[in-house]
Amino acid sequence: MANERITEDIVRKHFHSYPDECTIEEQKSLNPKIDKLLKNASKKGGGKGYPEFIISLKNNPDFIIVVECKANIVRQQSSTLDQYDEYAVDGALLYASFLSKEYDVLAIGVSGQNLREIKVSHYLYLKGEKKPVRYFGDKLLDIESYINGYLKSPEKFRQDYNTLRDFSRELNVELHHHKIPEKDRALLISSILIALEHKAFRKAYKEYEKPEELAKFLVETISNVLREAGLLEKNLKNLDIQFNFIRTDTSLSTKQDVLRNLIDTIDENINKFRKTHEYFDVLGQLYIEFLHYANSDKGLGIVLTPPHITELFAELTQVNKNSIVYDNCVGTGGFLISAMKRMIEDAKGDHEKIKEIKNNQLFGVEYQSHIFALTVSNMYIHQDGKTNIINGNCFDEEIMRVIKTKNPTVGFLNPPYKGDKKKDIDELEFVLNNLEVLQPGGTCIAIVPMQCALAQKGEKYELKKRLLEKHTLEAVLSMPNELFFDSVIGVVTCVMIFTAHKPHPTNKETYFGYYKDDGFVKRKTKGRIDAFGKWEGIKAEWVSSYINKKVKPGFSVNKVIIANDEWCAESYMETDYEKLNNSYFEETILNYSSFLFKNKLSYSVSNKAVDNKPIELDTNNWQSFELEELFKITGSKTTPLLELEEYGTGKYPYVTTQATNNGVEGFYDYYTEEGNVLAVDSAVLGYCSYQPLPFSASDHVEKLIPKFSMNKHIALFVSTIINAEQYRYNYGRKCCQERMRKAHIKLPSKNGVPDFEFMENYIKSLPYSSSI
């Protein structure tokens, strides 16, 4: 008969092998906080919980391990994870759910009677999280592996990153209270981080009683540290100028303990994060936060790239230990830091190669002096020995000559976005500049406004032509609409990937990806975050799809293009019609019937169908039709609301670009357009509504006048299909008449023509159809 004590002995023996690293307790804990958390954690409810093992880590007091054992391997884990008394994993997770109120917990379930058959399952249950995640595999590991895996896990990074962002907001408030200008705040933090790397400063700064002497000591330490790092004298003079405000700032140099307390809190909060997550652009994140409310970076066209996108760039370009990376608009160095991380990982512990990477394989140019100071600081605290960042203009011929001698193979950039269309340099000029210095066959990846991809005339179009004449366009990836939400910038962007110095072949297919959903969501006070831990999986799919040039409806397409084409997935990829089901059409019917009832155009709403006989929706054999083949696409007369108010209220709808109430903003005694048409919002997203009555319209309302006999049932079917195309449009690519004339939709067909009879009967078979 199986004996649970044998399983416990296996676990006990394993963890007793690490007496210097952990403390093992059984059934209960001498730690009063742990004991209190287990007070109501009984497996049977209503009493205290008694885990088989509670393991505390001596050097990581915020992380504990809880283990539950079962003798028989069939009792390893239930399908529902709520059979606490019967299964090892279920019990461990129950205890972890209570302990995670104050600790990060690793829950381990173990079953089996010998090392050959033993089953082990690990779940990481971090403090404050609602759900655990499977982690670590199916073997018991040594304590060091558990700690390293926990600290480097995506879940722990997300938790620590959110904590860092919370701290940066608190720090921003404090610095504002001390009247330190927004533009100087990140520089102040960088100066402190650099100084804390110096043993003499770390040992002595608390001994300085006078704030002006501490400020002077801080600035001198920075200068000495960077001089020892081998910075050029002219760059040192520049940095001295940038950091000199610390000596003269009233709060920092005259108020008792202000600077010293700042050093303490930055050491405790930022250095702790930085040492756990080595290659992360901490200063860039702080810079974004400090300027979030000041909004002073927008006027300079600076839009710092979110950290998850800088990491994505390194993976898309497959940066490795032999890459030589160049960023001609380096900003705070986020791209170079992400590249460095991947390159060092590829070096696999080869210390000489790692030194070579840091000293001779990462280069950048930054025009603005205060951003340059941040970049140099950032690279220094990431142990970039020589800090190969140039303060100057990337278009300067001498700078370009110097960079060319370094033989860069990969170019990254997020160029300044044009604020002044007449005076500012176009974003694609920066892309051409980056490509110019790369080695033949090198890869350039840039994130630019979507308008750069869409241009079909003017300066941007000419630049697109130049790009294809000299280089190969490998891919364009449409980015999330609100990617730069945290930088208070409303620009819609795309990523372009080029192969340098190889003219674009005539019949070359370029990969276009609709990379709009990165899993991030907006949260009040936190900004845009990976709240549900989706990013790692999404990133893997994005990278794999690009590398393998996968074609997937609604996500990606390969297409031969020329300069005069729109370079974006929205223009070419197929809509995923397989996702269409009854619910899409039911929602259209319900919204329309609700509109009729709300506006007293009908007097009841019923969920009954006209015909209860179900009709199957099979999109596999649907046929593609040009929208212009089905409709006359034309504009409507714009009627100002003030003019309508003079006519007074009446029975004719006023159709606007809103996507609620069937697009109608009121009823007036005036109309300009005939009814029984589809109306489409051309301001942005292309929302389509059926308008049965004559109506007047606001600006940006286009009409689709049917070239066939259209009734309300057919209209609601077709409008649902057109609304399924809304993903193609955004503030960077609006739904205009020209784009609608090129658009195709798929419809049920019979003998090569739309099967309108099927559409009508299908709508009649759905709930609420009796109410329209």
Side-chain angles (χ1 to χ4, degrees):
M1 183 177 176
N3 187 340
E4 194 171 294
R5 303 289 83 79
I6 295 174
T7 313
E8 291 173 8
D9 284 341
I10 292 171
V11 173
R12 189 180 293 111
K13 183 178 179 181
H14 175 81
F15 284 105
H16 271 306
S17 302
Y18 311 101
D20 296 332
E21 299 168 71
C22 67
T23 300
I24 304 170
E25 297 177 295
E26 300 185 31
Q27 302 291 321
K28 60 183 180 178
S29 176
L30 294 176
N31 183 324
K33 186 159 73 170
I34 293 175
D35 193 57
K36 184 178 179 180
L37 290 169
L38 293 172
K39 186 178 179 181
N40 297 307
S42 170
K43 292 178 182 177
K44 297 180 179 179
K48 192 169 184 178
Y50 298 94
E52 252 104 48
F53 297 97
I54 304 163
I55 301 166
S56 302
L57 290 307
K58 292 182 178 179
N59 293 321
N60 296 82
D62 297 327
F63 180 46
I64 58 176
I65 299 172
V66 61
V67 187
E68 277 293 287
C69 302
K70 292 295 177 186
N72 197 322
I73 59 174
V74 300
R75 295 291 180 180
Q76 174 65 8
Q77 179 174 332
S78 78
S79 59
T80 55
L81 294 177
D82 60 2
Q83 305 298 306
Y84 310 124
D85 199 32
E86 299 296 324
Y87 293 88
V89 170
D90 301 39
L93 285 175
L94 172 70
Y95 295 134
S97 69
F98 284 89
L99 293 168
S100 67
K101 291 178 173 64
E102 295 291 339
Y103 293 93
D104 291 335
V105 186
L106 178 63
I108 305 178
V110 182
S111 63
Q113 297 284 279
N114 57 65
L115 291 175
R116 180 176 53 82
E117 72 164 11
I118 196 171
K119 281 192 171 184
V120 180
S121 303
H122 301 84
Y123 283 84
L124 200 55
Y125 212 140
L126 297 187
K127 180 179 177 180
E129 294 290 322
K130 294 180 180 179
K131 292 183 179 180
V133 293
R134 192 82 181 256
Y135 208 59
F136 283 120
D138 58 1
K139 294 180 181 179
L140 289 171
L141 305 177
D142 59 86
I143 293 296
E144 184 179 359
S145 294
Y146 280 135
I147 292 172
N148 287 337
Y150 150 70
L151 290 175
K152 302 296 183 183
S153 68
E155 290 72 28
K156 181 60 177 169
F157 171 77
R158 191 170 72 251
Q159 181 193 59
D160 289 350
Y161 180 46
N162 289 336
T163 301
L164 174 70
R165 293 182 69 158
D166 290 341
F167 170 72
S168 69
R169 289 180 181 89
E170 295 167 7
L171 182 59
N172 199 27
V173 171
E174 183 179 351
L175 296 174
H176 177 76
H177 173 71
H178 292 307
K179 295 182 171 54
I180 295 169
E182 290 90 346
K183 68 180 181 64
D184 292 335
R185 292 175 191 174
L187 279 175
L188 173 61
I189 308 309
S190 70
S191 71
I192 292 170
L193 290 173
I194 290 173
L196 285 169
E197 293 291 309
H198 197 262
K199 290 181 181 179
F201 180 86
R202 176 178 285 279
K203 184 177 180 181
Y205 80 88
K206 292 186 179 181
E207 299 173 6
Y208 281 78
E209 297 293 333
K210 295 181 179 180
E212 64 270 24
E213 291 183 359
L214 178 56
K216 180 182 177 184
F217 180 41
L218 174 60
V219 174
E220 288 177 350
T221 299
I222 301 163
S223 184
N224 291 336
V225 166
L226 295 178
R227 181 173 282 104
E228 290 171 8
L231 257 69
L232 296 174
E233 196 61 35
K234 68 173 184 177
N235 287 340
L236 280 171
K237 288 179 180 178
N238 183 334
L239 292 171
D240 284 342
I241 293 169
Q242 296 304 318
F243 287 116
N244 201 51
F245 76 93
I246 297 170
R247 296 176 187 260
T248 57
D249 183 88
T250 303
S251 294
L252 299 175
S253 63
T254 65
K255 291 186 178 179
Q256 197 66 34
D257 293 334
V258 169
L259 182 54
R260 183 159 53 188
N261 290 342
L262 275 174
I263 296 171
D264 287 342
T265 192
I266 286 163
D267 191 26
E268 179 183 348
N269 291 277
I270 297 178
N271 260 342
K272 180 181 178 182
F273 176 92
R274 195 173 61 78
K275 287 173 181 176
T276 301
H277 309 287
E278 279 184 276
Y279 301 103
F280 180 83
D281 183 9
V282 175
L283 289 179
Q285 178 57 50
L286 292 169
Y287 186 79
I288 290 172
E289 179 59 35
F290 294 158
L291 292 179
H292 186 83
Y293 299 103
N295 204 19
S296 57
D297 57 346
K298 186 175 180 180
L300 297 171
I302 300 168
V303 184
L304 295 185
T305 314
H308 70 295
I309 300 300
T310 65
E311 292 182 359
L312 173 68
F313 272 38
E315 294 200 28
L316 289 171
T317 54
Q318 300 179 71
V319 167
N320 59 59
K321 63 184 179 182
N322 296 316
S323 300
I324 299 174
V325 180
Y326 172 58
D327 185 345
N328 57 329
C329 308
V330 75
T332 59
F335 283 130
L336 295 185
I337 290 166
S338 291
M340 183 195 300
K341 176 184 178 182
R342 187 172 168 88
M343 292 161 76
I344 288 172
E345 286 173 354
D346 189 47
K348 296 179 173 61
D350 183 338
H351 296 296
E352 283 301 313
K353 184 59 183 174
I354 292 171
K355 185 177 179 182
E356 175 71 12
I357 289 168
K358 292 181 175 182
N359 284 348
N360 298 311
Q361 292 178 226
L362 297 158
F363 301 92
V365 174
E366 176 52 47
Y367 183 76
Q368 297 184 71
S369 296
H370 74 288
I371 302 292
F372 169 73
L374 267 183
T375 315
V376 170
S377 305
N378 219 356
M379 298 306 289
Y380 176 81
I381 63 177
H382 286 89
Q383 295 90 45
D384 172 13
K386 288 183 65 178
T387 311
N388 293 308
I389 310 299
I390 300 171
N391 186 197
N393 187 336
C394 64
F395 295 96
D396 182 275
E397 290 185 5
E398 177 58 22
I399 288 177
M400 292 178 69
R401 186 195 65 77
V402 169
I403 295 298
K404 280 183 178 180
T405 65
K406 309 301 180 182
N407 301 317
T409 59
V410 179
F412 290 159
L413 73 150
N414 177 3
Y417 295 169
K418 289 180 72 172
D420 187 324
K421 292 184 178 180
K422 292 182 179 179
K423 296 180 181 178
D424 289 346
I425 298 172
D426 194 279
E427 297 89 355
L428 293 181
E429 289 278 16
F430 286 94
V431 178
L432 281 161
N433 173 264
N434 189 292
L435 282 159
E436 179 63 30
V437 300
L438 295 185
Q439 289 288 288
T443 300
C444 171
I445 181 168
I447 184 164
V448 295
M450 179 60 81
Q451 289 303 320
C452 293
L454 301 179
Q456 294 175 308
K457 59 183 179 181
E459 182 185 8
K460 288 187 188 298
Y461 166 61
E462 295 299 326
L463 291 170
K464 287 171 68 178
K465 283 170 53 178
R466 283 173 56 192
L467 281 163
L468 295 189
E469 286 167 3
K470 295 183 176 181
H471 314 286
T472 300
L473 179 62
E474 300 290 350
V476 180
L477 316 173
S478 300
M479 289 285 102
N481 291 348
E482 296 186 302
L483 184 64
F484 292 102
F485 174 80
D486 291 342
S487 291
V488 203
I489 299 294
V491 64
V492 177
T493 57
C494 64
V495 169
M496 295 183 179
I497 305 175
F498 291 91
T499 296
H501 305 296
K502 292 187 176 182
H504 192 87
T506 304
N507 296 315
K508 157 80 175 176
E509 285 191 343
T510 296
Y511 172 83
F512 293 95
Y514 188 74
Y515 288 15
K516 288 288 184 179
D517 182 11
D518 59 0
F520 279 57
V521 293
K522 292 183 291 185
R523 288 289 183 265
K524 189 176 181 180
T525 74
K526 292 183 180 295
R528 198 167 179 276
I529 61 172
D530 182 22
F532 305 109
K534 294 181 178 180
W535 168 240
E536 286 299 318
I538 289 172
K539 179 176 67 172
E541 181 186 5
W542 284 9
V543 172
S544 173
S545 184
Y546 162 68
I547 291 173
N548 297 297
K549 303 295 188 288
K550 294 178 184 176
V551 175
K552 180 180 176 183
F555 183 73
S556 57
V557 66
N558 294 315
K559 175 75 174 176
V560 175
I561 52 89
I562 59 175
N564 196 41
D565 290 327
E566 292 187 332
W567 294 355
C568 63
E570 291 90 324
S571 293
Y572 309 116
M573 67 182 178
E574 279 192 34
T575 297
D576 184 8
Y577 281 89
E578 288 187 7
K579 71 180 181 181
L580 287 177
N581 54 40
N582 290 1
S583 63
Y584 279 81
F585 295 91
E586 287 172 15
E587 184 178 359
T588 299
I589 297 169
L590 179 58
N591 287 340
Y592 183 69
S593 59
S594 299
F595 156 73
L596 295 175
F597 181 72
K598 177 183 176 182
N599 294 285
K600 299 181 180 179
L601 299 174
S602 70
Y603 294 98
S604 67
V605 176
S606 167
N607 66 352
K608 292 182 179 179
V610 174
D611 185 347
N612 288 320
K613 184 180 179 181
I615 296 177
E616 183 182 354
L617 190 71
D618 182 4
T619 63
N620 289 323
N621 297 316
W622 286 14
Q623 187 173 332
S624 181
F625 297 94
E626 291 182 3
L627 206 56
E628 196 169 32
E629 183 183 347
L630 302 170
F631 297 94
K632 178 184 177 182
I633 301 170
T634 183
S636 61
K637 180 183 177 182
T638 300
T639 305
L641 190 57
L642 285 174
E643 182 180 330
L644 287 174
E645 289 172 350
E646 292 179 7
Y647 287 99
T649 57
K651 63 180 181 180
Y652 302 113
Y654 179 54
V655 179
T656 68
T657 58
Q658 69 182 35
T660 56
N661 198 39
N662 207 46
V664 174
E665 199 176 298
F667 289 79
Y668 296 89
D669 195 23
Y670 178 78
Y671 71 89
T672 60
E673 318 298 326
E674 295 297 331
N676 197 38
V677 301
L678 300 184
V680 179
D681 147 40
S682 64
V684 183
L685 293 179
Y687 169 71
C688 180
S689 61
Y690 171 53
Q691 300 300 331
L693 301 173
F695 63 94
S696 59
S698 69
D699 198 8
H700 300 298
V701 173
E702 316 303 330
K703 293 187 302 181
L704 303 185
I705 303 172
K707 296 179 180 179
F708 56 91
S709 179
M710 185 173 78
N711 60 33
K712 58 189 176 183
H713 302 100
I714 297 170
L716 293 181
F717 188 101
V718 176
S719 67
T720 303
I721 300 299
I722 292 174
N723 282 328
E725 303 288 325
Q726 282 184 292
Y727 69 91
R728 298 185 188 275
Y729 308 109
N730 52 57
Y731 284 99
R733 186 178 188 271
K734 297 180 180 181
C735 179
C736 61
Q737 286 187 40
E738 183 182 355
R739 290 194 173 104
M740 282 192 276
R741 290 193 178 98
K742 296 177 182 178
H744 294 71
I745 59 171
K746 282 188 175 181
L747 294 172
S749 64
K750 183 187 290 184
N751 300 323
V753 297
D755 189 349
F756 294 117
E757 183 181 1
F758 173 88
M759 299 180 212
E760 179 175 352
N761 291 335
Y762 175 73
I763 292 295
K764 287 179 177 178
S765 75
L766 297 176
Y768 298 98
S769 60
S770 65
S771 298
I772 63 174

